[in-house]
Amino acid sequence: MLLQGKTAIITGSSRGIGRQIAISMAEAGANVVINYRSGTEAAEEVKSLLEAKGLTNVLLFQGSVDDKEAMEAMAKATVERFGGIDILVNNAGILLPKFLMMTKPDEWDQSLNVNLTGVYNCIKASLRPMIERKCGRIVNVSSVASLSGIPGQAAYATTKAGLNGLTRVLSKELAGFGITVNALAPGFIETDMTAIFNEKKTKEYYDMIPLKKFGKPEDIANMAVFLASDQGQYITGQIIAIDGGLSV
Ligand code: NAP
């Protein structure tokens, strides 16, 4: 099993892409920490699903990634329960789709707080156990919006482009500690986030994608597992588009 005995924190893993990453990592042998902001029922459903498969090394942790103290408490609880942190997947993110002219200051701040400061909080809280072992994997979930300008996603694209910058810098700062840092840049993936698009908008997006369909959470989770495993050990500082060709 690719991640046997490893411990992974996956932020925002009660639903969507994060949920599938948590499931795939658990199936690959990892102890998983399922973080979420408010959807306790959904998080418990993921835990029950894993337990039904005999995968019992699951810790639920409620806390918003933009809450520094909560993220420190999550890292502490993870080390107490599983003895360390090997993998951090910074998946939690929000999309408030608006043209810049319509974006209110608090919406701008909220996007930055969750999508960027949240990542800073989680990395800062989780780094020490990785540095001590001289080994670790950080996988940031960015977006195709960071690579190509999608109208109506100004704040979101800004945060994801920032995340790409952080990924590249950190890959160099942490390479000496045996820690790799990469970002996944999903295109349109079938989750609650894309369920907000009406039929007309969805059709417009299909037309823009060379493979003519949205991706599935599994398409992202497969790459996250690969990068987190020994098979991904020589890949760092990369922004990997998984988008049906959208960004080409
Ligand atoms: P989603 O279906 O909306 O699920 C979001 C998950 O993140 C939920 O588990 C949610 O938990 C959690 N979350 C939200 N805010 C949080 C916070 N402040 N702290 C902790 N957890 C929080 O989203 P998704 O589509 O799976 O997207 C996951 C990631 O992929 C995001 O970073 C997104 O930007 C990126 N992405 C998605 C797509 C796409 O097409 N879906 C494309 C490109 C990139 P609660 O329910 O408890 O709030």
Side-chain angles (χ1 to χ4, degrees):
M1 296 226 272
L2 284 178
L3 303 180
Q4 189 60 48
K6 304 282 185 194
T7 296
I9 295 177
I10 303 104
T11 67
S13 47
S14 57
R15 294 186 284 117
I17 291 171
R19 174 184 186 274
Q20 186 56 48
I21 293 175
I23 292 170
S24 297
M25 288 195 167
E27 287 175 345
N31 311 315
V32 291
V33 179
I34 295 174
N35 159 255
Y36 62 101
R37 180 184 42 187
S38 56
T40 303
E41 208 176 307
E44 277 171 354
E45 185 268 336
V46 186
K47 188 168 186 259
S48 304
L49 185 146
L50 290 173
E51 284 173 351
K53 292 172 186 242
L55 304 167
T56 53
N57 285 340
V58 181
L59 176 66
L60 295 188
F61 196 94
Q62 179 174 18
S64 184
V65 290
D66 59 353
D67 180 341
K68 181 173 163 290
E69 280 78 32
M71 293 305 100
E72 284 167 356
M74 179 169 72
K76 190 165 177 273
T78 304
V79 174
E80 277 171 8
R81 167 82 188 266
F82 298 122
I85 302 170
D86 302 288
I87 301 157
L88 170 65
V89 183
N90 287 304
N91 167 79
I94 53 168
L95 165 65
L96 306 175
K98 294 239 175 122
F99 289 108
L100 184 73
M101 290 295 285
M102 314 294 282
T103 303
K104 298 191 183 96
D106 67 304
E107 292 168 333
W108 179 266
D109 289 347
Q110 206 188 336
S111 301
L112 264 66
N113 288 343
V114 174
N115 296 359
L116 265 185
T117 307
V119 174
Y120 166 84
N121 290 339
C122 293
I123 292 176
K124 286 276 281 196
S126 309
L127 258 187
R128 189 176 289 278
M130 292 188 189
I131 287 176
E132 281 170 3
R133 288 185 183 178
K134 282 197 163 279
C135 168
R137 295 279 193 271
I138 297 174
V139 179
N140 296 324
V141 182
S142 179
S143 169
V144 71
S146 70
L147 305 172
S148 48
I150 302 175
Q153 299 194 358
Y156 182 73
T158 302
T159 63
K160 296 299 188 179
L163 188 52
N164 294 355
L166 179 65
T167 300
R168 293 191 179 101
V169 171
L170 265 188
S171 70
K172 293 189 176 176
E173 289 186 0
L174 299 178
F177 298 104
I179 300 169
T180 67
V181 188
N182 291 287
L184 306 179
F188 293 100
I189 307 298
E190 287 172 5
T191 69
D192 293 344
M193 192 177 273
T194 48
I196 58 170
F197 304 133
N198 62 27
E199 210 176 313
K200 183 167 169 280
K201 198 80 201 157
T202 304
K203 168 83 175 57
E204 271 173 41
Y205 287 141
Y206 279 7
D207 288 343
M208 291 159 54
I209 303 168
L211 289 182
K212 300 289 174 217
K213 59 181 180 182
F214 284 2
K216 300 205 176 296
E218 287 83 349
D219 296 317
I220 312 305
N222 291 340
M223 183 58 78
V225 170
F226 177 80
L227 287 174
S229 75
D230 287 346
Q231 294 188 351
Q233 56 98 22
Y234 200 55
I235 304 171
T236 198
Q238 302 306 307
I239 316 300
I240 301 170
I242 306 169
D243 63 0
L246 179 61
S247 60
V248 174

